[in-house]
Amino acid sequence: MTAPSRTPSAEQLNARKAFYDQIGKQHLAPLWERVSGLVTRSPQPAARPVHWKYSSVRAHLLQAGSLLSAEEAERRVLIFENPGLPGQSRITGSLFSGLQLLMPGEKAHAHRHTASALRVFLEGSSAYTSVDGERTMMSRGDFVITPCWTWHDHGNDGADPVIWLDGLDVPIVNLFDTSFSEGNEASQIPISRPEHDSEARYAGALLPDGHKAHSMSSPLLNYRYAPARENLAEMQRNGPIDPCHGVKLRYTNPLTGGSVMPTMSAALQLIAAGSRTAPYRSTDGTVFVVLEGKGHSKVADSSFDWAENDVFVAPSWALQQHRAESEAVLFSFSDRAAQEKLGIWREQRDASAS
Ligand code: 1HN
């Protein structure tokens, strides 16, 4: 037990203040003045719940398309910037996200960086991304990964604008001061493997005999929407339905069963028309992308009415509850993979109790 503390006199407080000023010049600070802000009872994210309507972001993105080329921009992306983290290019405390536009015929130059990236394809056709010599054509809802330090370039060979969502672990890489990046002489990396080769090898419940993992990321480049969507529909028919999530599938590295990349996790869930999920929270600030349906979410004190392609954020430990007006499919991603490796990830499934 600590002895009851006496209230310090004005004189004592002045003496302490003078002391803090004095040691501050030596780059020292008193923990006892800081500890409550450093070690909080529960997460206190600066990131706020936030919702972007696709129709308005899309209009701005197309406007960007008329103002500069993909070549000039290198990546023509409008950043989702969390209003609790102004000017920091972060959608949550640990993640970057934005929407990328490629106009017909445009290409995005090859480069690589230590940040890992993921993409969720939203709109357009005949677009590809190429990762370390394998090209994959992307369709709506496809989930594509670009692991750390892999060469990647993109292109739109179709007749319409192409839009996808990018998610990167840039704030994590920068927290550790480990950002490296480089461009390539070639604007496109030569294709060294047949298109969709990784799907042939890794997308079934089979693996190449004798294969050994040589990376911490999944060898599968493109997780197709169509089969995942069918799986959700069947799970929905067969049950059971999870009270907090509806039916939910996590994307995994087929070699390990773990997350697709070391820092980021992704999932796909279906919420039946007219149903409502139970209050839930977890420590991984999560970005939701609406792939199908219309609905409503409560995140902490905020309420969002969402529709197809909208994006919304549930910050760390914020209570979340979703209601689907029509059958809804939500893609989501977060830094859960990193938190689990560090042993600090938590969830609360009966979250209304507290
Ligand atoms: C990046 O390389 C891409 O390759 C997209 O498409 C968004 C945001 C920050 C840093 C690098 C891409 C990015 C990015």
Side-chain angles (χ1 to χ4, degrees), residues 2 48 55 97 128 149 153 161 163 170 180 194 223 228 236 245 255 263 278 289 305 321 345 352:
T2 50
R48 297 211 286 257
S55 53
S97 188
Y128 63 83
W149 209 239
D153 59 79
I163 298 175
V170 166
F180 292 92
Y223 293 75
Q236 169 72 27
H245 300 303
L255 297 175
T263 50
V289 186
D305 284 313
Q321 215 176 350
W345 182 79
S352 59

mmCIF file of all heavy atoms in Angstrom, residues 2 48 55 97 128 149 153 161 163 170 180 194 223 228 236 245 255 263 278 289 305 321 345 352:
data_model
loop_
_atom_site.group_PDB
_atom_site.id
_atom_site.type_symbol
_atom_site.label_atom_id
_atom_site.label_comp_id
_atom_site.label_asym_id
_atom_site.label_seq_id
_atom_site.Cartn_x
_atom_site.Cartn_y
_atom_site.Cartn_z
ATOM 1 N N THR A 2 0.468 2.220 -0.768
ATOM 2 C CA THR A 2 1.216 3.484 -0.719
ATOM 3 C C THR A 2 0.579 4.374 0.347
ATOM 4 O O THR A 2 -0.636 4.350 0.537
ATOM 5 C CB THR A 2 1.179 4.207 -2.071
ATOM 6 O OG1 THR A 2 -0.169 4.273 -2.495
ATOM 7 C CG2 THR A 2 1.996 3.481 -3.124
ATOM 8 N N ARG A 48 -9.352 8.476 -35.141
ATOM 9 C CA ARG A 48 -10.783 8.557 -34.828
ATOM 10 C C ARG A 48 -11.592 7.651 -35.766
ATOM 11 O O ARG A 48 -11.145 7.333 -36.872
ATOM 12 C CB ARG A 48 -11.242 10.004 -34.993
ATOM 13 C CG ARG A 48 -10.528 10.929 -34.009
ATOM 14 C CD ARG A 48 -11.393 12.096 -33.600
ATOM 15 N NE ARG A 48 -11.530 13.090 -34.644
ATOM 16 C CZ ARG A 48 -10.886 14.260 -34.673
ATOM 17 N NH1 ARG A 48 -10.031 14.559 -33.713
ATOM 18 N NH2 ARG A 48 -11.103 15.121 -35.637
ATOM 19 N N SER A 55 -18.505 7.642 -53.572
ATOM 20 C CA SER A 55 -18.916 8.530 -54.664
ATOM 21 C C SER A 55 -18.155 9.849 -54.603
ATOM 22 O O SER A 55 -17.729 10.370 -55.643
ATOM 23 C CB SER A 55 -20.424 8.775 -54.625
ATOM 24 O OG SER A 55 -20.789 9.232 -53.343
ATOM 25 N N SER A 97 -3.463 4.198 -46.015
ATOM 26 C CA SER A 97 -4.379 3.696 -47.032
ATOM 27 C C SER A 97 -4.798 4.825 -47.955
ATOM 28 O O SER A 97 -4.782 6.001 -47.571
ATOM 29 C CB SER A 97 -5.611 3.051 -46.384
ATOM 30 O OG SER A 97 -6.390 2.399 -47.370
ATOM 31 N N TYR A 128 -3.568 -4.740 -64.395
ATOM 32 C CA TYR A 128 -2.682 -5.759 -63.824
ATOM 33 C C TYR A 128 -1.750 -5.104 -62.818
ATOM 34 O O TYR A 128 -1.527 -3.899 -62.825
ATOM 35 C CB TYR A 128 -1.855 -6.447 -64.921
ATOM 36 C CG TYR A 128 -0.938 -5.493 -65.643
ATOM 37 C CD1 TYR A 128 0.316 -5.155 -65.124
ATOM 38 C CD2 TYR A 128 -1.335 -4.902 -66.846
ATOM 39 C CE1 TYR A 128 1.138 -4.270 -65.783
ATOM 40 C CE2 TYR A 128 -0.514 -4.007 -67.511
ATOM 41 C CZ TYR A 128 0.724 -3.690 -66.967
ATOM 42 O OH TYR A 128 1.533 -2.786 -67.611
ATOM 43 N N TRP A 149 9.906 -5.246 -50.133
ATOM 44 C CA TRP A 149 11.089 -5.273 -51.012
ATOM 45 C C TRP A 149 10.886 -6.070 -52.316
ATOM 46 O O TRP A 149 11.830 -6.545 -52.933
ATOM 47 C CB TRP A 149 12.327 -5.792 -50.244
ATOM 48 C CG TRP A 149 13.614 -5.231 -50.787
ATOM 49 C CD1 TRP A 149 14.680 -5.945 -51.294
ATOM 50 C CD2 TRP A 149 14.003 -3.851 -50.899
ATOM 51 N NE1 TRP A 149 15.681 -5.099 -51.706
ATOM 52 C CE2 TRP A 149 15.281 -3.802 -51.468
ATOM 53 C CE3 TRP A 149 13.376 -2.634 -50.562
ATOM 54 C CZ2 TRP A 149 15.961 -2.607 -51.723
ATOM 55 C CZ3 TRP A 149 14.036 -1.453 -50.814
ATOM 56 C CH2 TRP A 149 15.310 -1.453 -51.385
ATOM 57 N N ASP A 153 5.054 -3.063 -60.488
ATOM 58 C CA ASP A 153 4.536 -2.022 -61.373
ATOM 59 C C ASP A 153 3.108 -2.405 -61.747
ATOM 60 O O ASP A 153 2.692 -3.558 -61.566
ATOM 61 C CB ASP A 153 5.429 -1.862 -62.613
ATOM 62 C CG ASP A 153 5.554 -3.136 -63.431
ATOM 63 O OD1 ASP A 153 4.616 -3.452 -64.206
ATOM 64 O OD2 ASP A 153 6.572 -3.834 -63.280
ATOM 65 N N PRO A 161 -11.363 4.000 -66.538
ATOM 66 C CA PRO A 161 -10.489 4.234 -65.382
ATOM 67 C C PRO A 161 -10.487 3.015 -64.467
ATOM 68 O O PRO A 161 -11.493 2.304 -64.374
ATOM 69 C CB PRO A 161 -11.147 5.423 -64.667
ATOM 70 C CG PRO A 161 -12.048 6.054 -65.657
ATOM 71 C CD PRO A 161 -12.466 4.976 -66.615
ATOM 72 N N ILE A 163 -9.649 1.763 -60.502
ATOM 73 C CA ILE A 163 -9.461 2.267 -59.132
ATOM 74 C C ILE A 163 -9.326 1.086 -58.185
ATOM 75 O O ILE A 163 -10.106 0.140 -58.246
ATOM 76 C CB ILE A 163 -10.649 3.154 -58.692
ATOM 77 C CG1 ILE A 163 -10.754 4.391 -59.590
ATOM 78 C CG2 ILE A 163 -10.502 3.575 -57.224
ATOM 79 C CD1 ILE A 163 -11.966 5.282 -59.322
ATOM 80 N N VAL A 170 3.489 1.540 -43.980
ATOM 81 C CA VAL A 170 4.492 2.620 -43.961
ATOM 82 C C VAL A 170 4.731 3.198 -42.548
ATOM 83 O O VAL A 170 5.891 3.369 -42.150
ATOM 84 C CB VAL A 170 4.070 3.744 -44.947
ATOM 85 C CG1 VAL A 170 4.860 5.012 -44.726
ATOM 86 C CG2 VAL A 170 4.228 3.266 -46.391
ATOM 87 N N PHE A 180 13.604 1.937 -46.804
ATOM 88 C CA PHE A 180 14.453 1.993 -47.990
ATOM 89 C C PHE A 180 13.541 1.893 -49.197
ATOM 90 O O PHE A 180 12.492 1.249 -49.133
ATOM 91 C CB PHE A 180 15.447 0.822 -48.031
ATOM 92 C CG PHE A 180 16.498 0.859 -46.965
ATOM 93 C CD1 PHE A 180 16.293 0.211 -45.749
ATOM 94 C CD2 PHE A 180 17.699 1.541 -47.164
ATOM 95 C CE1 PHE A 180 17.262 0.241 -44.754
ATOM 96 C CE2 PHE A 180 18.673 1.578 -46.172
ATOM 97 C CZ PHE A 180 18.452 0.925 -44.959
ATOM 98 N N PRO A 194 4.991 -17.307 -65.812
ATOM 99 C CA PRO A 194 3.699 -17.181 -66.492
ATOM 100 C C PRO A 194 2.677 -16.478 -65.599
ATOM 101 O O PRO A 194 2.750 -16.584 -64.374
ATOM 102 C CB PRO A 194 3.283 -18.635 -66.747
ATOM 103 C CG PRO A 194 4.532 -19.422 -66.633
ATOM 104 C CD PRO A 194 5.436 -18.699 -65.691
ATOM 105 N N TYR A 223 -5.510 -13.227 -54.179
ATOM 106 C CA TYR A 223 -6.571 -14.005 -53.535
ATOM 107 C C TYR A 223 -7.877 -13.567 -54.192
ATOM 108 O O TYR A 223 -8.366 -12.478 -53.935
ATOM 109 C CB TYR A 223 -6.612 -13.718 -52.031
ATOM 110 C CG TYR A 223 -5.391 -14.208 -51.275
ATOM 111 C CD1 TYR A 223 -4.178 -13.535 -51.354
ATOM 112 C CD2 TYR A 223 -5.463 -15.342 -50.468
ATOM 113 C CE1 TYR A 223 -3.061 -13.989 -50.657
ATOM 114 C CE2 TYR A 223 -4.362 -15.798 -49.760
ATOM 115 C CZ TYR A 223 -3.164 -15.116 -49.861
ATOM 116 O OH TYR A 223 -2.068 -15.566 -49.165
ATOM 117 N N ALA A 228 -13.783 -16.909 -52.733
ATOM 118 C CA ALA A 228 -13.968 -16.524 -51.323
ATOM 119 C C ALA A 228 -15.436 -16.165 -51.070
ATOM 120 O O ALA A 228 -16.017 -16.524 -50.041
ATOM 121 C CB ALA A 228 -13.062 -15.342 -50.969
ATOM 122 N N GLN A 236 -22.617 -19.251 -44.741
ATOM 123 C CA GLN A 236 -23.835 -18.564 -44.297
ATOM 124 C C GLN A 236 -25.015 -19.530 -44.282
ATOM 125 O O GLN A 236 -25.800 -19.569 -43.349
ATOM 126 C CB GLN A 236 -24.078 -17.373 -45.236
ATOM 127 C CG GLN A 236 -25.407 -16.682 -45.112
ATOM 128 C CD GLN A 236 -25.492 -15.880 -43.818
ATOM 129 O OE1 GLN A 236 -24.477 -15.440 -43.299
ATOM 130 N NE2 GLN A 236 -26.685 -15.725 -43.302
ATOM 131 N N HIS A 245 -19.339 -11.265 -35.875
ATOM 132 C CA HIS A 245 -18.770 -11.052 -37.215
ATOM 133 C C HIS A 245 -19.643 -11.534 -38.365
ATOM 134 O O HIS A 245 -19.274 -11.341 -39.523
ATOM 135 C CB HIS A 245 -17.426 -11.784 -37.337
ATOM 136 C CG HIS A 245 -16.393 -11.344 -36.347
ATOM 137 N ND1 HIS A 245 -15.983 -10.047 -36.242
ATOM 138 C CD2 HIS A 245 -15.706 -12.040 -35.408
ATOM 139 C CE1 HIS A 245 -15.068 -9.952 -35.284
ATOM 140 N NE2 HIS A 245 -14.889 -11.150 -34.759
ATOM 141 N N LEU A 255 1.447 -21.510 -46.766
ATOM 142 C CA LEU A 255 2.586 -22.291 -46.278
ATOM 143 C C LEU A 255 2.622 -22.377 -44.759
ATOM 144 O O LEU A 255 3.234 -23.275 -44.200
ATOM 145 C CB LEU A 255 3.904 -21.681 -46.771
ATOM 146 C CG LEU A 255 4.106 -21.681 -48.285
ATOM 147 C CD1 LEU A 255 5.382 -20.956 -48.647
ATOM 148 C CD2 LEU A 255 4.127 -23.107 -48.824
ATOM 149 N N THR A 263 3.247 -7.989 -41.200
ATOM 150 C CA THR A 263 2.678 -6.881 -40.424
ATOM 151 C C THR A 263 1.165 -6.750 -40.557
ATOM 152 O O THR A 263 0.511 -6.223 -39.666
ATOM 153 C CB THR A 263 3.277 -5.540 -40.877
ATOM 154 O OG1 THR A 263 3.181 -5.481 -42.306
ATOM 155 C CG2 THR A 263 4.717 -5.396 -40.442
ATOM 156 N N ALA A 278 -23.024 -8.352 -32.801
ATOM 157 C CA ALA A 278 -22.922 -7.989 -31.382
ATOM 158 C C ALA A 278 -21.723 -7.061 -31.182
ATOM 159 O O ALA A 278 -20.759 -7.128 -31.943
ATOM 160 C CB ALA A 278 -22.758 -9.256 -30.550
ATOM 161 N N VAL A 289 -13.645 -2.064 -45.958
ATOM 162 C CA VAL A 289 -13.988 -1.680 -47.328
ATOM 163 C C VAL A 289 -15.264 -2.450 -47.675
ATOM 164 O O VAL A 289 -15.294 -3.678 -47.585
ATOM 165 C CB VAL A 289 -12.869 -2.078 -48.318
ATOM 166 C CG1 VAL A 289 -13.172 -1.531 -49.704
ATOM 167 C CG2 VAL A 289 -11.506 -1.595 -47.828
ATOM 168 N N ASP A 305 -23.542 5.359 -42.254
ATOM 169 C CA ASP A 305 -24.385 4.667 -43.229
ATOM 170 C C ASP A 305 -23.537 4.394 -44.448
ATOM 171 O O ASP A 305 -23.156 5.331 -45.144
ATOM 172 C CB ASP A 305 -25.572 5.566 -43.645
ATOM 173 C CG ASP A 305 -26.630 5.602 -42.568
ATOM 174 O OD1 ASP A 305 -26.986 4.529 -42.056
ATOM 175 O OD2 ASP A 305 -27.070 6.715 -42.234
ATOM 176 N N GLN A 321 -20.138 -2.170 -34.047
ATOM 177 C CA GLN A 321 -21.350 -2.955 -34.245
ATOM 178 C C GLN A 321 -21.851 -2.654 -35.653
ATOM 179 O O GLN A 321 -21.907 -1.481 -36.045
ATOM 180 C CB GLN A 321 -22.396 -2.519 -33.221
ATOM 181 C CG GLN A 321 -23.243 -3.640 -32.750
ATOM 182 C CD GLN A 321 -24.222 -3.247 -31.659
ATOM 183 O OE1 GLN A 321 -24.147 -2.156 -31.105
ATOM 184 N NE2 GLN A 321 -25.143 -4.134 -31.373
ATOM 185 N N TRP A 345 -1.876 -8.357 -28.930
ATOM 186 C CA TRP A 345 -3.220 -8.241 -29.517
ATOM 187 C C TRP A 345 -4.262 -8.738 -28.526
ATOM 188 O O TRP A 345 -4.074 -9.758 -27.864
ATOM 189 C CB TRP A 345 -3.300 -9.055 -30.807
ATOM 190 C CG TRP A 345 -4.645 -8.932 -31.479
ATOM 191 C CD1 TRP A 345 -5.084 -7.894 -32.236
ATOM 192 C CD2 TRP A 345 -5.715 -9.889 -31.437
ATOM 193 N NE1 TRP A 345 -6.372 -8.132 -32.663
ATOM 194 C CE2 TRP A 345 -6.788 -9.339 -32.194
ATOM 195 C CE3 TRP A 345 -5.888 -11.131 -30.833
ATOM 196 C CZ2 TRP A 345 -8.003 -10.013 -32.365
ATOM 197 C CZ3 TRP A 345 -7.098 -11.800 -31.000
ATOM 198 C CH2 TRP A 345 -8.142 -11.236 -31.765
ATOM 199 N N SER A 352 -20.226 -5.133 -24.885
ATOM 200 C CA SER A 352 -21.225 -4.193 -24.375
ATOM 201 C C SER A 352 -21.204 -4.147 -22.848
ATOM 202 O O SER A 352 -21.722 -3.229 -22.232
ATOM 203 C CB SER A 352 -22.615 -4.581 -24.867
ATOM 204 O OG SER A 352 -22.909 -5.880 -24.417
#
